[in-house]
Amino acid sequence: MITYLEEARQFQLDTPNASYVLTIADEGYLLHTYWGKRIAPQDMTDLLRLGEPPFVPSQNERERASFMDCAPFEYPCCGIGDYREAAFCIETETGANACDLRYVSHRIYNGKYHPRGMPHTWGNGCESLDILMRDAPTGIEVTLHYTVFLGIDAVIRSVSIENCGDADMTLRRVLSASVDMDDDRFEMLSLYGSWARERQAERLPMRHGKQRLDSSRGESSHQYSPFFALVRPETTEQQGEAYGFTLIWSGDFMAQAELTQFCQTRAQIGMQSDYFAYCLSTESEFDAPEAVLVYSAEGIGGMSRSFHKLFSDHLIRSDYRYIERPVLINNWEATYFNFDLDKLKTIADEAAALGIELYVLDDGWFGKRDSDNCSLGDWTPDECKLPGGLKPLTDYIIGKGMQFGLWFEPEMVSPDSNLYRAHPDYAVGIAGRLQTQSRAQYVLDYTRRDVRDAVWEQIKAILDAVPVSYIKWDMNRQLTEVPYAGFSHAYMLGVYQMLERLVTEYPDILLESCSGGGGRFDAGMLYYSPQIWASDNTDARDRLRIQYGASLFMPPSAIGSHISICPNHATGRVTPFETRANTAMFGTFGYELDVTQLTDSEKSQISEQIAQWHSISRLIRDGGLWRLGNPFRLSGYAAQQNADYDAWIFVAEDQSEAVFTYVQITAEANMKSRRILLAGLDREADYAYTLCGEEDIKSGAYLMQCGVMIPNLWGDMQSIQFVLQAV
Ligand code: DGJ
């Protein structure tokens, strides 16, 4: 998968459909040479235009600066004439930033490097290239790591730094990947949002200058995702080139594309550096998180499927990545803080009778927590709500044949809590400065081991006392008053250590991470938790958008998605129960409502929905996703797509089975049926399916080229779902 052409001094990383090429140029500069459709290894140095002005390196010392400002550097530094955005920036004891990395040596090997203390891709069937670079005056050494996994169109990059000089220095920026693309014919596809409106897709043409997404909130955030794609203007869901970038990291980040004076595009992703500093003493080392780079010639959908495959096979650690997950019911939207043992038992009675398999007790079970004003940090059951603790409840739930799950918010402390009263210094803050509250809480200083231990002991006591099969790990505020530059980075590593402890000591627990909905919906968390609560907005209409956006880079099996009641608590919108189910089946599928309040007709649908879910969940977890609609009204080319419906199909890897879902977002009078072309099927196979009560058999070619006719449905948010079986 990785070759080195001795004469051309060129590295080539090949994946099934793509090639990524680097060249060691004169003086040891490492230059990005090609990334695109797969091509046989050959000398590509002409692509670097090294003989053309202003690309005149050592032959022409006079114009060295103009060479530096346009050469396609694989890992650009600052202070030596490249005025574009740097990927790497140091500060010496005298405050100098200049750094000039040159090639020293390389190694190609089976297996891969794992950045220390943070999530990373793993597994067999991979090959790696490590390139050692050195800045001679400071002695700083940088190793660029590249990995490709067999059968997956992705390149994984990360960076390690070692201070081999004789003076301490400060790292100001260590991005994980930078790619200098040779042209400007790109649009940038990215995700923005807010609480309850996460992952809204936006696609805009590149303009000269820098387009940046970032977070300095201490988490990857609701506002921007550590993901973007550069796509050609003509690229659609199924055709054309798409270059995707994401980061296996859950804290502050930056993702940027810069269109330069020579109409080249520099794409970068890594840890946010505006508030970052890391003191690298002599002989010490530092690792940056892994970035994942995907090239697809099969449109945006092909890009997404490569991310999904890589993350399912080589990132998620939990055994749940391949095994059936239980259908859960969560009491949050059913009761909020207002419950007692009897109320919880009535929900359990009904849920068990309907076939629900896992009962999750959300916020409000501990301390004196009748509202969000208190008790975070005091992880002992509230005796008023739960006399005798959790055991009577868990006995009851287990007795009903369900598993039990529990909510924690381990990174937080309420000012009104025993933990805070005993240890006010555990909360993040700056001496002499007001500590900002958010949701009436402070963030615990997870950079400190004693703080983590204080929480861990309490969580462990619960896990050892009652049978907990599932944990929802929540995080409901962002960082403020961070005590020093680089704190956010150390905080994230502390959170990862705590998660590592949890998944190592309790490997059978199904972990769902959450951050006020989807505030930490990123590949970093996926390493620990195979599913992530995508949003506090459970409205089916809004979920179409949130889930579409999330699926651009994260596998649908990770998207925490539940049916809740109507009018929806976030939007007041009323949608059919069936459509709420069909939409929630794009993710992990569960219920978040008071089952005792449902109508008989809704209750009767629940057993059918659970049966349907179990028959298709393998397709959603292990199959490929083809998005067939677009729930956004986007500018440019995407605006031409009909935004009044959404549709998607999950297809088994062997193409023997598929499940198709269609949602008519708004009804229109006097419309013909809508023809939807399916995708991902075997052209040669015949598929049996039932559409609106009519059985049919059609070839894959017919279904993909001629499509299926979906009747104009009566009412907004009506939906249709059917399975296709190869016969
Ligand atoms: C935010 C989460 O996203 C909700 O699902 C719920 O768990 C609340 N926190 C509880 O406080």
Side-chain angles (χ1 to χ4, degrees):
M1 293 184 276
I2 303 182
T3 43
Y4 179 59
L5 297 184
E6 199 78 50
E7 213 158 295
R9 302 187 83 199
Q10 218 158 65
F11 302 104
Q12 178 154 340
L13 291 88
D14 287 320
T15 59
N17 300 294
S19 298
Y20 185 102
V21 180
L22 311 172
T23 306
I24 309 164
D26 283 355
E27 301 182 41
Y29 287 116
L30 190 64
L31 302 182
H32 181 77
T33 313
Y34 174 86
W35 184 25
K37 227 179 217 163
R38 186 159 174 172
I39 189 160
Q42 57 203 285
D43 188 340
M44 291 188 170
T45 17
D46 60 320
L47 298 180
L48 296 170
R49 302 198 195 92
L50 286 173
E52 288 174 33
F55 283 85
V56 273
S58 54
Q59 299 98 308
N60 188 351
E61 268 307 327
R62 215 182 76 90
E63 301 303 344
R64 186 171 199 87
S66 43
F67 163 73
M68 297 307 287
D69 207 18
C70 64
F73 287 111
E74 182 65 10
Y75 200 59
C77 308
C78 53
I80 51 164
D82 182 353
Y83 297 101
R84 296 161 292 178
E85 193 82 28
F88 183 58
C89 188
I90 56 168
E91 190 177 292
T92 63
E93 284 176 322
T94 60
N97 295 125
C99 182
D100 189 357
L101 293 174
R102 311 283 183 99
Y103 169 87
V104 176
S105 62
H106 73 267
R107 185 166 81 98
I108 295 172
Y109 57 101
N110 286 325
K112 73 180 285 289
Y113 180 77
H114 294 159
R116 288 155 288 190
M118 62 185 85
H120 53 77
T121 52
W122 54 273
N124 297 327
C126 61
E127 205 176 347
S128 297
L129 162 69
D130 285 356
I131 305 177
L132 178 65
M133 316 274 291
R134 179 180 296 132
D135 175 52
T138 57
I140 197 110
E141 291 196 348
V142 171
T143 305
L144 305 180
H145 305 281
Y146 298 81
T147 297
V148 283
F149 281 94
L150 204 65
I152 299 180
D153 275 314
V155 174
I156 293 112
R157 287 183 62 173
S158 68
V159 178
S160 308
I161 321 290
E162 189 176 353
N163 185 352
C164 300
D166 42 25
D168 293 353
M169 72 180 59
T170 304
L171 298 178
R172 287 276 170 203
R173 167 178 294 188
V174 189
L175 296 189
S176 299
S178 184
V179 185
D180 279 354
M181 323 267 260
D182 199 36
D183 71 283
D184 62 347
R185 241 175 33 79
F186 289 115
E187 295 182 346
M188 189 174 188
L189 173 65
S190 60
L191 299 167
Y192 73 94
S194 184
W195 173 78
R197 262 189 300 108
E198 295 89 340
R199 274 152 273 289
Q200 307 291 302
E202 194 164 53
R203 177 173 168 173
L204 293 166
M206 282 293 298
R207 53 178 169 71
H208 281 89
K210 299 169 185 180
Q211 297 176 41
R212 178 187 285 201
L213 308 145
D214 65 8
S215 167
S216 53
R217 297 168 186 265
E219 59 172 8
S220 49
S221 90
H222 301 79
Q223 284 70 19
Y224 304 111
S225 289
F227 157 80
F228 69 100
L230 293 176
V231 299
R232 299 296 182 187
E234 66 276 11
T235 297
T236 64
E237 186 60 30
Q238 290 180 36
Q239 282 171 350
E241 292 192 306
Y243 295 83
F245 300 79
T246 193
L247 198 62
I248 305 184
W249 178 251
S250 314
D252 295 350
F253 74 92
M254 67 164 269
Q256 180 171 293
E258 175 181 4
L259 187 53
T260 73
Q261 57 182 330
F262 294 111
C263 299
Q264 300 154 311
T265 306
R266 174 170 284 183
Q268 300 177 312
I269 196 159
M271 290 187 314
Q272 147 80 278
S273 57
D274 291 353
Y275 313 102
F276 175 73
Y278 185 91
C279 176
L280 195 68
S281 46
T282 51
E283 289 176 34
S284 57
E285 295 169 307
F286 179 89
D287 282 337
E290 291 187 341
V292 180
L293 280 53
V294 164
Y295 168 80
S296 156
E298 286 180 21
I300 298 165
M303 172 199 75
S304 298
R305 287 188 292 280
S306 291
F307 280 124
H308 299 169
K309 178 129 186 70
L310 177 76
F311 293 163
S312 300
D313 292 355
H314 296 290
L315 181 63
I316 299 175
R317 276 153 93 202
S318 162
D319 286 348
Y320 277 105
R321 73 186 192 280
Y322 294 133
I323 57 177
E324 194 87 16
R325 299 186 206 163
V327 174
L328 68 77
I329 185 158
N330 177 304
N331 75 312
W332 179 241
E333 285 199 29
T335 65
Y336 295 104
F337 296 101
N338 186 17
F339 61 82
D340 59 16
L341 183 59
D342 286 343
K343 176 70 195 167
L344 295 178
K345 280 181 168 176
T346 42
I347 296 179
D349 291 340
E350 199 75 62
L354 295 171
I356 293 173
E357 296 146 338
L358 165 66
Y359 186 104
V360 178
L361 178 56
D362 208 280
D363 196 354
W365 59 267
F366 52 92
K368 309 179 271 104
R369 193 152 162 102
D370 293 328
S371 78
D372 57 13
N373 266 335
C374 70
S375 301
L376 294 171
D378 298 343
W379 300 106
T380 44
D382 176 352
E383 283 287 330
C384 297
K385 285 180 188 160
L386 300 166
L390 287 168
K391 188 147 189 328
L393 176 66
T394 57
D395 283 350
Y396 194 78
I397 285 167
I398 307 290
K400 291 263 159 198
M402 290 185 289
Q403 297 174 304
F404 177 69
L406 195 58
W407 179 96
F408 289 96
E409 192 172 1
E411 297 158 65
M412 299 292 152
V413 67
S414 307
D416 180 6
S417 68
N418 296 333
L419 185 70
Y420 185 76
R421 278 183 283 274
H423 302 283
D425 62 302
Y426 280 11
V428 174
I430 301 171
R433 186 174 289 282
L434 178 87
Q435 269 170 290
T436 302
Q437 290 189 27
S438 177
R439 208 194 193 202
Q441 62 199 55
Y442 297 134
V443 181
L444 286 168
D445 184 351
Y446 259 40
T447 66
R448 285 172 53 175
R449 178 156 191 140
D450 59 336
V451 175
R452 299 197 300 268
D453 285 349
V455 179
W456 174 254
E457 292 312 325
Q458 295 187 59
I459 294 179
K460 186 169 164 49
I462 300 276
L463 301 184
D464 292 343
V466 289
V468 176
S469 308
Y470 160 108
I471 286 178
K472 180 173 174 188
W473 176 303
D474 205 348
M475 192 257 195
N476 282 298
R477 68 155 287 181
Q478 299 161 344
L479 298 189
T480 53
E481 291 89 35
V482 301
Y484 54 88
F487 176 87
S488 288
H489 168 252
Y491 173 82
M492 206 57 244
L493 293 182
V495 173
Y496 286 149
Q497 283 197 24
M498 189 79 157
L499 285 164
E500 183 67 38
R501 203 165 178 180
L502 181 62
V503 301
T504 312
E505 291 196 28
Y506 299 92
D508 297 333
I509 289 181
L510 171 58
L511 185 60
E512 175 154 352
S513 66
C514 170
S515 175
R520 216 157 49 183
F521 194 91
D522 54 65
M525 294 309 283
L526 214 47
Y527 181 69
Y528 307 97
S529 61
Q531 55 196 58
I532 307 175
W533 185 228
S535 179
D536 281 346
N537 184 343
T538 48
D539 172 64
R541 168 69 184 83
D542 286 356
R543 275 297 183 131
L544 292 176
R545 292 182 166 181
I546 293 167
Q547 295 173 177
Y548 173 102
S551 75
L552 287 173
F553 71 114
M554 294 279 275
S557 67
I559 301 176
S561 193
H562 298 164
I563 305 183
S564 61
I565 63 148
C566 279
N568 181 269
H569 290 189
T571 61
R573 190 177 282 122
V574 176
T575 53
F577 197 65
E578 187 188 354
T579 299
R580 278 176 267 159
N582 288 342
T583 306
M585 288 188 199
F586 191 97
T588 57
F589 190 66
Y591 295 86
E592 185 148 342
L593 41 70
D594 184 349
V595 259
T596 65
Q597 307 288 310
L598 295 181
T599 63
D600 287 343
S601 135
E602 286 169 336
K603 281 187 203 164
S604 70
Q605 288 180 54
I606 288 188
S607 327
E608 289 164 26
Q609 288 164 355
I610 294 175
Q612 167 75 347
W613 171 250
H614 282 309
S615 73
I616 64 168
S617 66
R618 195 182 47 78
L619 287 170
I620 285 143
R621 202 185 54 234
D622 308 334
L625 166 69
W626 272 260
R627 288 176 296 254
L628 306 173
N630 184 339
F632 291 95
R633 286 190 184 282
L634 300 177
S635 60
Y637 292 83
Q640 291 162 16
Q641 299 182 26
N642 188 326
D644 280 331
Y645 74 92
D646 198 0
W648 56 88
I649 186 167
F650 286 95
V651 183
E653 207 168 0
D654 65 3
Q655 296 172 303
S656 62
E657 210 186 344
V659 57
F660 166 80
T661 308
Y662 170 87
V663 180
Q664 174 180 286
I665 297 173
T666 47
E668 271 190 76
N670 187 27
M671 286 296 282
K672 291 199 162 66
S673 56
R674 195 187 303 272
R675 170 143 49 130
I676 305 278
L677 306 186
L678 306 192
L681 301 171
D682 177 355
R683 296 178 51 76
E684 308 301 326
D686 286 332
Y687 291 91
Y689 60 95
T690 305
L691 168 57
C692 296
E694 298 278 329
E695 290 179 12
D696 210 340
I697 295 183
K698 290 264 173 19
S699 70
Y702 189 92
L703 292 165
M704 295 192 289
Q705 288 164 226
C706 306
V708 289
M709 296 299 182
I710 306 290
N712 191 23
L713 303 171
W714 175 255
D716 292 349
M717 289 301 290
Q718 302 294 317
S719 62
I720 285 175
Q721 185 178 78
F722 59 81
V723 169
L724 297 104
Q725 204 80 52
V727 288

